[in-house]
């Protein structure tokens, strides 16, 4: 295999919350200004606004090794967490807000495009305060990117299951391990596992049709879980919730790159992507968001229920040659074993909720966002969110 599919980058979206109430706070501008004034983790990392002023985003630079990804993720989180604390807020990596808002204020970030989205969506965005973890993997061109996305379709639900981290939304367990994927993103017509596209022309016609029909303000506003990036020469995988730990984000990066490289190898060998049923993909995604790694999954190719852990093992088998080539096999296996041993973010949130309610969940998430899983295993979900 060539070096195509070697470069990667990760975008992480975070919520800003009040240190006392836990409600989200609209302090993105001062937090970003403070963080940008500090030394950057790498020359091409980015800190930027998101749809709402209660959110901030950190993007790694272009990386070729998982160690680079991990380092930049850790340093960017620390940078934003310090800036948030200085602005009397806390940084939280979770798919949806844990605590109910004190007031119904919903402040969109400044910018013409954000305002167009607000005008189009109206009340649809009234509780759309969600965060994800997106992985970009470099590819030669847009045609290759779309062909790769076709190959990714059967595996996207399993990536979602490994990264579920939004069971609690505004003070209540919604019954899904990821209510971000189902209740939030699922309300939009261009969401979920993307359709199979035969060509870039067909893909662009579909995007234009969705804009003409009023489902999107522009062709960059899709909610599909994988797509050719509208602005970069990459495939963008975006099914993961904003994950609690750097380890979880690194696992998503390693698996995503390996899936893209495996797809590139299949394309080079003339193997076309399987035309998996769109409805079966939808059911598989529903199961992944409902149960995460704790219940049955749906095998999109066999079209039947199987244990989620079996799907994860099959995913590893599928991408093993790609992981071996980049030297990531042992690390990715260890990261996956960590999820199976310690639980997904959703499992950890529910355990904390059972012990101390939404406040205990926030305490846990603040620590995990700025720290690491090993420290959390040692401390346990009992410390205050604001130890000062």
């Amino acid at each position: 295999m060539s070096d195509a599919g070697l470069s990667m980058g990760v975008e992480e979206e975070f919520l800003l919350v009040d240190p006392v109430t836990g409600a989200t706070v609209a302090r993105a501008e001062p937090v970003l200004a403070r963080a940008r004034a500090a030394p950057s983790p790498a020359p091409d990392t980015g800190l930027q606004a998101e749809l709402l002023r209660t959110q901030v985003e950190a993007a790694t630079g272009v990386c070729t090794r998982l160690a680079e990804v991990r380092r930049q993720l850790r340093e960017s989180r620390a940078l934003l967490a310090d800036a948030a604390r200085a602005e009397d807020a806390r940084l939280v990596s979770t798919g949806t807000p844990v605590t109910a808002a004190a007031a119904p204020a919903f402040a969109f970030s400044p910018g013409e495009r954000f305002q167009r989205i607000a005008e189009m969506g109206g009340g649809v965005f009234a509780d759309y305060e969600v965060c994800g973890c997106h992985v970009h993997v470099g590819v030669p061109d847009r045609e290759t990117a779309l062909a790769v996305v076709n190959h990714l379709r059967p595996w996207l639900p399993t990536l979602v299951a490994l990264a579920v981290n939004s069971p609690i939304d505004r003070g209540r367990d919604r019954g899904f391990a990821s209510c971000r994927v189902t209740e939030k993103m699922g309300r939009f017509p261009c969401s979920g596992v993307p359709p199979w596209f035969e060509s870039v022309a067909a893909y662009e016609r579909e995007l234009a049709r969705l804009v003409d029909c009023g489902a999107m303000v522009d062709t960059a506003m899709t909610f599909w879980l994988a797509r050719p990036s509208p602005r970069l020469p990459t495939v963008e995988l975006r099914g993961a919730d904003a994950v609690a730990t750097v380890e979880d984000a690194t696992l998503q990066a390693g698996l995503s790159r390996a899936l893209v490289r495996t797809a590139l190898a299949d394309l080079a060998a003339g193997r076309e992507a399987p035309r998996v049923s769109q409805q079966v993909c939808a059911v598989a995604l529903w199961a992944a968001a409902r149960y995460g790694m704790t219940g049955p999954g749906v095998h999109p190719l066999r079209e039947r229920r199987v244990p989620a852990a079996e799907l994860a093992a099959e995913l590893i088998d599928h991408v093993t040659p790609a992981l071996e080539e980049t030297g990531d096999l042992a690390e990715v296996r260890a990261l996956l074993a960590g999820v199976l041993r310690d639980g997904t973010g959703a499992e950890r949130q529910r355990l904390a909720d059972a012990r101390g309610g939404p406040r205990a969940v926030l305490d846990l998430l603040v620590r995990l966002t700025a720290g690491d899983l090993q420290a959390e295993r040692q401390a346990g979900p009992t410390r205050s969110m604001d130890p000062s």
Side-chain angles (χ1 to χ4, degrees):
M1 194 187 299
S2 72
D3 283 344
L6 184 63
S7 62
M8 58 184 163
V10 178
E11 298 170 347
E12 291 197 290
E13 299 164 349
F14 304 98
L15 291 174
L16 298 169
V17 304
D18 185 275
V20 176
T21 68
T24 54
V25 290
R27 295 183 191 149
E29 290 95 333
V31 168
L32 287 171
R34 186 178 292 272
R36 287 165 177 162
S40 176
D44 53 348
T45 56
L47 304 172
Q48 52 224 26
E50 254 300 319
L51 179 66
L52 302 177
R53 295 175 60 225
T54 57
Q55 299 171 294
V56 292
E57 178 181 286
T60 71
V62 177
C63 302
T64 57
R65 296 182 296 110
L66 283 184
E68 293 178 87
V69 171
R70 179 186 291 103
R71 178 184 62 79
Q72 291 186 29
L73 290 172
R74 184 174 290 118
E75 292 179 4
S76 293
R77 284 185 177 214
L79 188 63
L80 284 172
D82 288 346
R85 186 174 289 272
E87 295 296 335
D88 197 26
R90 300 295 180 266
L91 188 76
V92 174
S93 187
T94 183
T96 51
V98 172
T99 303
F106 200 68
F108 282 85
S109 295
E112 186 268 338
R113 184 170 185 269
F114 287 147
Q115 294 308 308
R116 287 170 57 206
I117 292 173
E119 292 167 6
M120 182 205 81
V124 173
F125 286 105
D127 64 346
Y128 191 75
E129 203 169 11
V130 304
C131 295
C133 173
H134 302 174
V135 180
H136 288 261
V137 183
V139 291
D141 51 54
R142 193 168 176 79
E143 182 178 3
T144 302
L146 186 63
V148 165
V149 170
N150 285 341
H151 280 265
L152 297 179
R153 294 175 69 242
W155 305 104
L156 295 174
T158 301
L159 288 180
V160 168
L162 289 167
V164 289
N165 192 37
S166 56
I168 299 167
D169 178 48
R170 300 178 189 276
R172 185 163 70 88
D173 192 320
R174 303 290 177 172
F176 283 90
S178 174
C179 73
R180 165 186 164 268
V181 167
T182 52
E183 292 190 8
K184 307 300 182 179
M185 295 175 71
R187 68 183 57 171
F188 296 97
C190 42
S191 63
V193 176
W196 195 99
F197 288 102
E198 65 182 11
S199 66
V200 171
Y203 176 70
E204 293 180 343
R205 282 196 303 271
E206 183 66 11
L207 294 181
R209 178 163 53 190
L210 289 167
V211 173
D212 288 344
C213 289
M216 307 187 302
V217 299
D218 56 34
T219 57
M221 193 188 159
T222 64
F223 291 84
W224 287 320
L225 302 187
R227 64 179 182 177
S229 171
R231 57 188 179 85
L232 298 169
T234 65
V235 172
E236 182 182 7
L237 296 92
R238 49 217 298 265
D241 285 347
V243 288
T245 69
V246 167
E247 287 77 10
D248 290 341
T250 305
L251 175 60
Q252 285 288 313
L255 288 174
S256 296
R257 179 170 70 170
L259 277 168
V260 170
R261 290 180 67 83
T262 300
L264 290 168
D266 285 340
L267 290 168
R271 292 186 287 269
E272 186 178 80
R275 300 208 181 200
V276 182
S277 161
Q278 189 70 23
Q279 190 60 47
V280 172
C281 282
V283 174
L285 181 60
W286 186 92
R290 171 73 173 88
Y291 301 110
M293 298 302 295
T294 64
V298 173
H299 199 298
L301 296 171
R302 299 181 198 167
E303 299 186 349
R304 63 178 178 85
R305 290 193 299 174
V306 299
E310 183 178 318
L311 287 169
E314 187 170 333
L315 170 56
I316 291 291
D317 288 344
H318 177 67
V319 299
T320 286
L323 290 172
E324 288 177 332
E325 187 171 42
T326 55
D328 297 331
L329 181 59
E331 182 170 3
V332 168
R333 280 181 169 165
L335 290 168
L336 175 59
V339 172
L340 298 177
R341 179 189 63 239
D342 302 314
T344 61
E347 292 171 70
R348 296 196 286 269
Q349 284 198 39
R350 283 173 167 154
L351 178 61
D353 189 44
R355 291 176 175 176
R359 178 61 186 222
V361 179
L362 276 170
D363 290 349
L364 171 72
L365 289 171
V366 168
R367 294 197 301 273
L368 289 179
T369 300
D372 60 70
L373 187 55
Q374 183 61 37
E376 181 51 37
R377 287 196 209 107
Q378 295 170 353
T382 56
R383 289 175 293 169
S384 168
M385 180 168 144
D386 189 4
S388 63

